[in-house]
Amino acid sequence: MIRFSDITEKGTSPEKIEKHTDIKPSGGMTDQEADTFWKAEFQKAHDEVSLDEYDTLLSEVFNRSEDELDIDFVIGDRLVKLLDQFSPETWEYMDDSERYEIISEFVSALSEDLGLEDIPEVAVFDDDDAYGFYSPSDNTINLNRQYYDDPVELVNTIAHEMRHAYQEYRAGLLETREDALYRVNLDNYISPIPLPGGGWLFFTDYQDQYVEVDARAFANLFTEAMKYE
């Protein structure tokens, strides 16, 4: 039920009723513009009602651990075949362009299995601090070239950052309780702060928030699948 104004009790005076704000498209709109208008109004009402409920989940976002989570995801045949390409015996004989092609194919396959509508682009950078990161503003998976020679760590990073892409996508849908946890956490995300003398402030809080725990648990599925004999 969409509620645009407070429900009046029987006997409410006409003066009070008239104070309710009308929500309607302007008379000059085309049918398409009017349809867009109402979709936007219904979405706004949905978000307002939903977030009132989801804010109560804030206490469940922090101080989490991986052993609390049961990730509902099966690594399918296509991903298994791609993981074979990341085996150390195969990976070491590839050049950077071949590696980039495998990485992109892996991201595409994982996007499909996660149900993402838009496949993230793969970008490469050189840095001493980070393995990689997901940028929601341009939907990119950014990978540190310095870790290309460690294919197991690379796959773990890709899966971790792809899970963040999934979290962002699901947080926008707000269809399940987990979507709500993603949304509340992303709205209250804790980033670690580098200290001048080395180390990080709030690192434990960063590590133990739901979206990071969930991303690590998801990535660990792939690390386990890559344990070669």
Side-chain angles (χ1 to χ4, degrees):
M1 177 183 292
I2 305 300
R3 179 181 171 197
F4 291 110
S5 61
D6 289 335
I7 299 174
T8 60
E9 298 178 2
K10 184 181 290 187
T12 300
S13 67
E15 291 78 10
K16 290 185 178 178
I17 294 177
E18 290 173 359
K19 291 181 180 178
H20 294 165
T21 302
D22 286 337
I23 299 178
K24 59 184 179 182
S26 63
M29 285 186 178
T30 65
D31 289 344
Q32 183 176 359
E33 289 171 337
D35 181 62
T36 301
F37 172 87
W38 284 116
K39 284 181 178 178
E41 289 299 328
F42 273 75
Q43 184 61 48
K44 183 168 64 176
H46 170 268
D47 290 346
E48 289 173 353
V49 172
S50 298
L51 286 179
D52 283 344
E53 300 167 358
Y54 295 153
D55 280 346
T56 63
L57 299 175
L58 188 59
S59 62
E60 298 182 34
V61 164
F62 304 110
N63 299 314
R64 302 301 298 265
S65 63
E66 292 167 46
D67 57 11
E68 298 173 359
L69 303 185
D70 183 16
I71 304 296
D72 184 18
F73 184 86
V74 176
I75 300 176
D77 292 341
R78 182 184 175 190
L79 286 173
V80 169
K81 290 179 180 178
L82 285 169
L83 287 177
D84 287 341
Q85 298 298 309
F86 288 92
S87 67
E89 295 80 4
T90 302
W91 189 255
E92 67 176 325
Y93 293 107
M94 294 183 186
D95 59 30
D96 279 355
S97 62
E98 291 172 322
R99 289 176 174 182
Y100 184 86
E101 184 177 345
I102 294 298
I103 290 169
S104 297
E105 190 174 350
F106 183 69
V107 166
S108 178
L110 189 49
S111 295
E112 181 178 336
D113 286 3
L114 285 170
L116 300 182
E117 291 185 352
D118 298 316
I119 299 173
E121 295 289 332
V122 177
V124 180
F125 68 97
D126 289 285
D127 195 301
D128 292 331
D129 294 329
Y131 288 108
F133 62 93
Y134 171 66
S135 174
S137 62
D138 57 3
N139 192 32
T140 57
I141 300 294
N142 298 267
L143 303 172
N144 192 338
R145 192 192 309 274
Q146 295 188 27
Y147 297 101
Y148 262 34
D149 289 335
D150 186 344
V152 176
E153 187 61 57
L154 181 61
V155 166
N156 186 281
T157 299
I158 296 169
H160 183 109
E161 302 309 332
M162 283 294 295
R163 189 63 169 187
H164 284 320
Y166 171 80
Q167 293 163 353
E168 291 277 357
Y169 173 66
R170 294 301 311 183
L173 296 179
L174 286 178
E175 292 178 347
T176 68
R177 193 171 191 279
E178 185 171 59
D179 296 348
L181 284 170
Y182 290 152
R183 175 68 172 271
V184 171
N185 195 166
L186 292 171
D187 286 346
N188 298 274
Y189 188 81
I190 298 175
S191 296
I193 300 173
L195 298 172
W200 301 85
L201 186 63
F202 304 128
F203 185 78
T204 299
D205 295 325
Y206 153 78
Q207 259 197 330
D208 294 347
Q209 59 191 321
Y210 187 79
V211 293
E212 291 300 333
V213 171
D214 177 74
R216 288 200 305 275
F218 180 76
N220 286 343
L221 296 177
F222 293 85
T223 302
E224 289 298 314
M226 290 188 69
K227 287 185 176 178
Y228 298 98
E229 298 294 338

